[in-house]
Amino acid sequence: RPLPPARRLPGLEVRFGPTGHPEWPDLSLALTGRGARLTNVSDGPLWLAGWSPSGTNAWLRVRDDGGAPLNLLPSGGQATLPLRGWERGVRVWYVREAGSGPSQLFRADWTPPDAGERVLN
């Protein structure tokens, strides 16, 4: 039985719908040896729709450290975005409340690793 619209989790439709950019970031990102560590720095939970490396036509589910899909990232919660090493950034689509819109888009870019040390821009 499908969830009613107000309880439906965000999915692929948010990537092609209108997106906003919050005045203050809801997420932070740190580069690690395993990829990028995403942290919810907002005052409430975030419903994660999907992510992709920048410059890549992809739609990936955010997953927890065990590999299970992660739909809700509580305040202070973390997730790892696996990267192959040559990516130059990530895009993460999310909403602050399930069933609300427009979705928010978090963007983070950095200099490529072949430039010496990776630096977040």
Side-chain angles (χ1 to χ4, degrees):
R1 182 175 119 182
L3 293 172
R7 303 276 300 158
R8 196 169 290 141
L9 296 173
L12 182 60
E13 72 279 359
V14 303
R15 181 165 187 192
F16 301 105
T19 58
H21 302 281
E23 186 175 338
W24 294 100
D26 292 316
L27 296 164
S28 73
L29 188 108
L31 298 174
T32 70
R34 294 180 40 201
R37 192 76 172 155
L38 191 65
T39 303
N40 178 351
V41 295
S42 74
D43 60 355
L46 301 175
W47 280 262
L48 305 170
W51 76 281
S52 70
S54 64
T56 303
N57 186 13
W59 183 255
L60 307 168
R61 295 288 307 270
V62 177
R63 298 184 180 274
D64 65 17
D65 288 337
L70 188 61
N71 295 323
L72 179 70
L73 190 61
S75 182
Q78 297 184 328
T80 299
L81 306 178
L83 298 171
R84 294 176 293 254
W86 60 82
E87 287 93 350
R88 296 179 176 204
V90 297
R91 306 294 183 256
V92 180
W93 288 264
Y94 66 94
V95 295
R96 291 189 57 94
E97 294 182 31
S100 72
S103 64
Q104 301 296 310
L105 175 60
F106 172 77
R107 294 193 271 192
D109 296 296
W110 52 86
T111 57
D114 58 349
E117 184 177 319
R118 294 190 300 184
V119 178
L120 285 172
N121 294 328

